[in-house]
Amino acid sequence: MKKTFLSLLGLLLFTVGYTQQNEWEDPTKVDRHKLDGRSDFVLYTSAKKALQNDPQSSALYQSLNGTWKFNVVQHPGERPKAFYAPSLNDSDWENIKVP
């Protein structure tokens, strides 16, 4: 009787602990209070250029805005094997606007 009671108590404690998961362990709450990704700084070669606050004038600035080619596959094995090659034919890929 004592072993059965302890076994049931252990099972109950395990079940309660399992269902009451810590918030940081819950994969559905990963993005809670998270800001969207962004870059909010620009590097300049001098203080004078920084004070002008013109990102395009910096040689260290590169905008990624524009039209990008985008290709989605169902399985990683279906991806183009040489997707990095300059000769890749991406004419049937979708176009997306960034940002």
Side-chain angles (χ1 to χ4, degrees):
M1 171 89 170
K2 192 174 187 179
K3 284 184 181 180
T4 303
F5 176 74
L6 290 176
S7 295
L8 288 174
L9 179 63
L11 180 61
L12 176 64
L13 291 174
F14 173 78
T15 304
V16 168
Y18 182 75
T19 58
Q20 293 189 352
Q21 190 175 30
N22 293 317
E23 183 179 18
W24 63 84
E25 296 175 315
D26 185 351
T28 65
K29 299 193 175 166
V30 171
D31 292 336
R32 185 172 177 208
H33 303 298
K34 181 179 173 185
L35 297 175
D36 290 336
R38 72 210 176 284
S39 175
D40 56 0
F41 61 91
V42 176
L43 299 174
Y44 294 95
T45 55
S46 69
K48 181 180 176 183
K49 287 205 175 246
L51 290 171
Q52 293 171 352
N53 195 23
D54 179 17
Q56 285 81 14
S57 71
S58 173
L60 304 173
Y61 176 81
Q62 169 123 22
S63 174
L64 299 178
N65 295 342
T67 303
W68 286 56
K69 291 291 194 172
F70 192 74
N71 182 28
V72 177
V73 294
Q74 295 297 318
H75 186 273
E78 298 171 357
R79 76 191 185 290
K81 301 300 187 250
F83 62 88
Y84 50 84
S87 61
L88 174 74
N89 180 5
D90 60 2
S91 60
D92 61 339
W93 288 24
E94 297 292 324
N95 290 321
I96 61 170
K97 293 293 286 179
V98 174

